[in-house]
């Protein structure tokens, strides 16, 4: 491989993804999930996006996360 | 289309897949194969390889020797915000694999799975921002450098919000233009998002940069009923069923409007091919795909 150059990381995106993963893995009731997405500062950077999540699609993602997600 | 695209199979190691697909191979119909390039090493937490079927490797070698082998990554987690040692090892293994065997191109999924403490998860969409576009361009360039092959991205079936479907075409176009990458257009994924969000599937397909499509995926899936009273079933891209009738018009649309299309693959998970009915359905889907490509090419010649 070519010489290493600095990775283009996005720490804020990483934090957001960690928070979303944690929320999905808990598979909360839809109202509780919506409340956390609306109020939790961890989702502030993308509030408009998370506020538009469809409940059925969020629950589907949570179902898949409970099956697939593995923690270190 | 300058020449007819090849028609092939996403090639899997399960014995049920072998039994289902072998008549197609024996008839000389499978013009190309795509392998989940990181199947042996992508999901393991250490460097240990997973075992593979004895018939699998010689087939990969055969198609590579005929310049008809394609690589599809599954476990990179392309849009994870933080690049980790796991990502770095994945790229190193990709480079090794591409030096050992000739691939026409490589691709990965447009989404993310891993973050912080989670080393595995389902594939999820990322929000479209300037920063995410810049990150993705950098990652796609690295994928091309590591493999020394053209690198591309597959559109995501997963959507949490309408923007995940409505913006995905433009989102991918920005990234592919920035990194000179190609689009792996999965038409079942387009239909899945359209169904789940009440959108017109054909209109959604036309939002994609069709001039950058080099590969198509065609597959089936399943329905999931969310734990929400009165919710409509949600479509999933689970590769465990026959190609739905509604997807074939999208295949035709893509065949007619993707001038750089090189190859079309049918996908089906191996463990879902255990019965005669399932195997017959799989072979029927493949034969229909061959027929669709033939018709599309005849239409072009006649025009």
């Amino acid at each position: 491989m070519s010489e290493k150059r600095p990775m283009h990381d996005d720490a804020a995106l990483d934090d957001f993804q960690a928070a979303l993963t944690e929320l999905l893995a808990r598979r909360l009731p839809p109202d509780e999930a919506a409340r956390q997405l609306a109020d939790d500062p961890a989702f502030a950077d993308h509030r408009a996006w998370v506020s538009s999540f469809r409940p059925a699609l969020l629950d589907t993602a949570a179902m898949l996360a409970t099956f697939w997600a593995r923690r270190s | 289309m300058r020449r007819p695209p090849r028609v092939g199979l996403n090639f899997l190691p399960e014995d049920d897949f072998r039994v289902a697909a072998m008549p197609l191979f024996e008839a000389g119909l499978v013009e190309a194969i795509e392998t989940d390039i990181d199947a042996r090493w992508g999901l393991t937490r250490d460097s240990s390889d997973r075992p593979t079927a004895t018939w699998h490797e010689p087939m990969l070698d055969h198609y590579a020797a005929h310049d008809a082998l394609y690589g599809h990554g599954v476990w990179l987690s392309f849009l994870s915000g933080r690049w980790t040692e796991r990502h770095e090892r994945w790229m190193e293994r990709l480079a090794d694999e591409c030096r050992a065997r000739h691939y026409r191109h490589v691709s990965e999924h447009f989404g993310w799975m891993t973050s912080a403490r989670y080393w595995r998860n389902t594939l999820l969409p990322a929000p479209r921002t300037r920063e995410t576009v810049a990150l993705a361009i950098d990652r796609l360039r690295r994928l091309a450098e590591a493999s020394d092959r053209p690198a591309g991205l597959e559109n995501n079936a997963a959507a949490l919000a309408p923007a995940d479907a409505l913006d995905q075409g433009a989102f991918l176009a920005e990234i592919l233009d920035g990194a000179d990458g190609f689009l792996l257009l999965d038409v079942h994924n387009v239909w899945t998002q359209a169904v789940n969000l009440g959108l017109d599937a054909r209109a959604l397909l036309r939002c994609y940069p069709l001039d950058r499509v080099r590969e198509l995926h065609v597959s089936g899936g399943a329905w999931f009923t969310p734990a929400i009273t009165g919710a409509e079933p949600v479509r999933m891209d689970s590769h465990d069923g026959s190609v739905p009738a509604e997807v074939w018009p999208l295949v035709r649309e893509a065949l007619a409007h993707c001038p750089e299309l090189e190859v079309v693959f049918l996908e089906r998970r191996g463990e879902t091919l255990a019965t005669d009915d399932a195997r017959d359905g799989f072979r029927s889907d493949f034969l229909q795909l061959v027929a669709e490509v033939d018709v599309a090419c005849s239409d072009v010649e006649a025009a």
Side-chain angles (χ1 to χ4, degrees):
Chain A
M1 282 177 67
S2 58
E3 61 181 64
K4 291 186 186 295
R5 63 180 187 272
M7 289 308 302
H8 191 127
D9 277 357
D10 187 336
L13 178 62
D14 182 51
D15 290 342
F16 171 84
Q17 289 171 335
L20 183 57
T21 302
E22 292 282 0
L23 181 140
L24 291 173
R26 288 157 60 197
R27 199 173 180 193
L28 300 168
D31 288 351
E32 175 61 20
R35 190 189 66 74
Q36 292 203 16
L37 289 169
D39 296 342
D40 192 329
F43 303 112
D45 282 355
H46 304 290
R47 191 75 69 196
W49 182 51
V50 302
S51 296
S52 67
F53 285 1
R54 296 278 178 89
L57 300 182
L58 187 63
D59 187 64
T60 303
M63 178 277 295
L64 290 168
T66 55
F67 179 78
W68 283 105
R70 293 291 184 275
R71 231 200 296 217
S72 301
Chain B
M1 285 179 284
R2 287 175 291 185
R3 61 180 177 184
R6 290 164 157 162
V7 184
L9 290 172
N10 178 246
F11 183 66
L12 298 168
E14 289 86 1
D15 204 54
D16 285 332
F17 174 86
R18 183 186 61 80
V19 173
M22 198 49 66
L24 302 172
F25 283 107
E26 289 171 343
L29 294 172
V30 184
E31 297 174 315
I33 60 174
E34 179 178 72
T35 184
D36 291 345
I37 200 168
D38 56 356
R40 285 185 295 113
W41 40 266
L43 189 54
T44 54
R45 296 187 63 185
D46 55 30
S47 60
S48 306
D49 284 3
R50 298 158 71 88
T52 188
T54 54
W55 67 286
H56 198 70
E57 297 291 308
M59 290 287 275
L60 299 180
D61 290 337
H62 173 78
Y63 276 84
H66 288 82
D67 198 23
L69 177 64
Y70 297 76
H72 188 48
V74 176
W75 301 108
L76 173 62
S77 191
F78 180 79
L79 283 176
S80 286
R82 192 178 303 278
W83 194 257
T84 64
E85 274 187 34
R86 189 193 66 82
H87 288 94
E88 198 60 38
R89 279 202 307 276
W90 191 98
M91 285 293 194
E92 290 170 0
R93 292 300 299 265
L94 177 72
D96 289 343
E97 176 63 27
C98 291
R99 278 192 290 268
R101 193 177 269 138
H102 176 69
Y103 291 84
R104 288 282 303 164
H105 65 222
V106 299
S107 57
E108 246 291 358
H109 293 79
F110 185 52
W112 61 279
M113 295 181 285
T114 63
S115 70
R117 289 174 297 173
Y118 288 88
W119 59 273
R120 192 183 86 170
N121 200 358
T122 186
L123 187 70
L124 294 165
R128 182 186 179 192
T129 66
R130 261 200 327 268
E131 291 79 9
T132 311
V133 169
L135 179 148
I137 289 172
D138 180 64
R139 300 271 171 89
L140 191 55
R141 285 176 178 155
R142 289 175 189 268
L143 194 65
E145 287 165 7
S147 61
D148 195 25
R149 307 308 311 150
L153 296 170
E154 176 183 354
N155 55 303
N156 197 341
L160 297 166
D164 299 328
L166 294 167
D167 285 355
Q168 187 170 193
F171 196 176
L172 279 164
E174 274 193 272
I175 295 162
L176 298 176
D177 285 347
D180 196 22
F182 69 86
L183 178 60
L184 190 175
L185 183 65
D186 188 308
V187 292
H188 182 264
N189 287 1
V190 175
W191 182 66
T192 292
Q193 287 196 332
V195 164
N196 289 340
L197 289 159
L199 303 171
D200 181 289
R202 186 170 290 191
L204 193 61
L205 186 142
R206 290 185 175 177
C207 291
Y208 283 86
L210 300 183
D211 59 327
R212 284 203 175 264
V213 173
R214 195 173 150 111
E215 177 180 336
L216 291 187
H217 275 178
V218 182
S219 67
W223 298 97
F224 167 71
T225 301
I228 299 173
T229 304
E232 293 288 323
V234 171
R235 185 69 180 176
M236 297 194 299
D237 175 46
S238 43
H239 296 183
D240 54 357
S242 292
V243 179
E246 297 91 336
V247 170
W248 291 112
L250 297 180
V251 173
R252 292 175 203 125
E253 183 83 9
L255 290 171
H257 293 101
C258 296
E260 302 302 321
L261 180 63
E262 174 173 322
V263 66
V264 183
F265 288 114
L266 178 66
E267 295 184 294
R268 180 77 181 258
R269 282 184 10 227
E271 69 271 23
T272 71
L273 294 169
T275 66
D276 287 342
D277 280 352
R279 293 168 183 172
D280 287 344
F282 170 74
R283 290 189 282 264
S284 176
D285 280 344
F286 185 83
L287 294 175
Q288 181 162 356
L289 192 53
V290 171
E292 295 287 352
V293 170
D294 285 347
V295 168
C297 293
S298 300
D299 289 348
V300 168
E301 286 174 6

